[in-house]
Amino acid sequence: MMRVANLFLIFLVFAIHHLRCSSIMPESLPASSSEQPYRTAFHFQPPQNWMNDPNGPMYYNGVYHLFYQYNPTGPLFSDHMHWAHSVSYDLINWIPLDLALSPTKSFDNISCWSGSATILPGNKPVMLYTGIDSENRQVQNMAVPKDLSDPYLKEWVKYTGNPVINLPDGIQPDDFRDPTTAWLAEDGKWRIIVGSQKDKMGIAFLYQSEDFINWTKFDSPLHKVAGTGIWECPDFFPVWIDNKKGVDTSVMNLRVKHVLKVGLFDYAKDFYMIGNYSPEKENYVPQNELTPSTLRYDYGKYYASKSFFDPVKNRRILMAWVNESDSEADDIAKGWSGLQSFPRSLWLDQNQKQLVQWPIEEIEMLHENKVSILDKKLEGGSLHEVVGITASQADVKISFKLSNLEEAEELDPSWIEDPQLTCSKKDASNKGKFGPFGLLALASNDLTEQTAIFFRVFKNNGRYIVLMCSDQSRSSTKNGIDKTSYGSFVDINPQQDEISLRTLIDHSIIESFGGGGKTCITARVYPTLAIGKEARLFAFNNGTESVVISELSAWSVKKALINVKKTISCTDQ
Ligand code: DQQ
């Protein structure tokens, strides 16, 4: 009798324990890939719901942190935004944590909007973020980690004296947001900028503080440009003029130039300027002005980006929100919306006129099944399939060599004004001389579905001009999707340089880097046939002149562990 009771007790303990272990399940794992063909394998996304801007990315005590704008209640943007939080040891695999900031206090109880991290002396991280207060005004707030000895900094405490910065006089209550990472000048004062507008004049208001709590608005903004509308998510940081390494945000000397990036809400695009900043005179003189045709980080979908300095590898890392191109109804059916771009390092080009971006090297951890092609001639009107890799989850590098350039088409000056329009008029099916040539990604067996990322080379007054396009017009047989084509010029000389393209393909996102990262284009696509194992990849040349693939290297990219909550097994406890 005693033995039976003991056995029963052991069974009961085991059952309770098992129940407890198996009840700690992933929040909501995506359904099978056939039901969720647009979820990605190596791009950051939460298990479900709406995500937009990256917030407060930082490296702290061995751990990378990414916070992001999140609606925990559904797949559409909400009036009550939160900060979700994930951490990583390698910027590839991400561990999801509890929400870091929720709209709870009078200074943010409508919404917790975007913001940035600063690491204060003594290795103390602090967050500045925009709150929408109970009166519907945008104000700037501060939060700090509850316990600095917690390796993941899971809990964040809002400063009780918030807001630390109130709405400036004469500014509309919904036109004041997105504080940057702070920089410290030699006078011992911290500086930040906050995005705003007045009468359609985009403004980066400059604030100074000695203690990070009391902030004073400087008389003149760091920069402003008439007619550009509100500036969202500004970013302001130095870049070395003579090397590719990153620079910590407070470094100021003659070997750096400063980048001012602003998100123009009216265009939903991130534009940037490069210039000289003097904290003594407190002025910023950009060498290029901000116009709708000026420099952009990316000529496709790429918004509300934020950069941070990574002291481990001495680089500046950039991430951005890549929104959907499908409909709200599609997002409701999918149960999610929004991706983060794959992290990129960025630096100033040798010519000091533009930035260069490149996927961080950690992607190599995910590479497998390398295939290579060397010196392969692509006759005009031909295709070459890249076999041996998973074409829906791939990293592809290709470079083209051109000869007889004098045969190139003459450039019509009207093609220069709006390269995106030129790309849509001269899509991948439109035969030129040198071009279109490039890659056909996520192509179906019969090629009815394909996304063409390609180049065209034109002759112009004895010089050669290279246009890069991403043509989404045949990317899906589905209707109701924005299939706009994107394009921009690549500042290379095809007489000297090979024309290179690197493309990251991840089910519903294609990030392309032309000319070694001088021109970047990100697209969202929703194939219905070219999904999973059915997707194919080709190099193509639809011009009349032949081109040579001097080198192609392509890899399948393994799935990263992104925001999958680990089922805690009994042995873990
Ligand atoms: N997204 C946030 C704002 C920011 C905008 C709200 C940019 O703070 O201005 O989710 O996408």
Side-chain angles (χ1 to χ4, degrees), residues 412-429:
D412 178 332
S414 70
W415 298 342
I416 294 218
E417 280 153 35
D418 189 344
Q420 170 160 320
L421 189 66
T422 307
C423 284
S424 67
K425 285 190 181 154
K426 290 174 157 292
D427 72 6
S429 68

Side-chain angles (χ1 to χ4, degrees), residues 368-373 383-391 394-396 439-440 445 533 535-539 552-556:
E368 62 180 3
N369 310 329
K370 180 175 182 186
V371 298
S372 305
I373 298 172
L383 279 177
H384 180 85
E385 181 159 16
V386 181
V387 287
I389 58 163
T390 309
D395 182 358
V396 191
L439 293 172
L440 290 187
N445 282 327
K533 295 208 165 60
R536 296 169 73 180
L537 173 72
F538 298 86
L552 176 143
S553 305
W555 298 262
S556 301

Side-chain angles (χ1 to χ4, degrees), residues 36-40 43-46 49-52 75-76 268 301-303 321-332 334-340 478 480-483 486 506-509 522-526:
Q36 285 280 1
Y38 308 127
R39 284 196 69 84
T40 58
H43 281 78
F44 184 100
Q45 59 184 140
N49 297 330
W50 167 277
M51 166 178 72
N52 55 302
L76 304 181
K301 297 206 137 193
Y302 200 86
Y303 193 56
W321 169 39
V322 182
N323 71 340
E324 303 296 315
S325 295
D326 60 3
S327 66
E328 276 194 5
D330 289 329
D331 294 344
I332 291 166
K334 295 191 326 242
W336 60 273
S337 170
L339 299 176
Q340 298 298 328
K478 262 170 91 140
I481 287 175
D482 175 5
K483 296 180 189 168
Y486 310 120
D506 194 2
H507 300 272
S508 67
I509 181 169
T522 298
R524 296 300 309 277
V525 293
Y526 306 86

Side-chain angles (χ1 to χ4, degrees), residues 41-45 62-66 85-97 152 319 342-343 360 362-367 557-565:
F42 58 98
H43 281 78
F44 184 100
Q45 59 184 140
V63 178
Y64 294 100
H65 292 253
L66 178 66
H85 183 195
S86 297
V87 288
S88 171
Y89 292 100
D90 53 17
L91 291 163
I92 297 288
N93 301 291
W94 291 90
I95 302 162
L97 302 174
Y152 290 170
M319 290 180 83
F342 189 79
I360 55 164
E362 283 84 344
I363 195 168
E364 289 164 20
M365 291 167 41
L366 300 175
H367 280 170
V557 178
K558 286 181 275 189
K559 191 170 170 53
L561 263 185
I562 298 181
N563 293 327
V564 178
K565 267 198 188 153

Side-chain angles (χ1 to χ4, degrees), residues 473-497:
S473 58
R474 292 172 202 79
S475 58
S476 174
T477 55
K478 262 170 91 140
N479 293 323
I481 287 175
D482 175 5
K483 296 180 189 168
T484 306
S485 287
Y486 310 120
S488 186
F489 294 100
V490 192
D491 186 15
I492 49 172
N493 176 1
Q495 281 172 303
Q496 289 165 11
D497 310 318

Side-chain angles (χ1 to χ4, degrees), residues 52-53 69 77 113-114 177-178 232 303-304 321:
N52 55 302
D53 316 353
Q69 287 285 284
F77 185 73
W113 275 16
S114 288
R177 54 183 176 271
D178 308 337
E232 294 190 310
Y303 193 56
W321 169 39

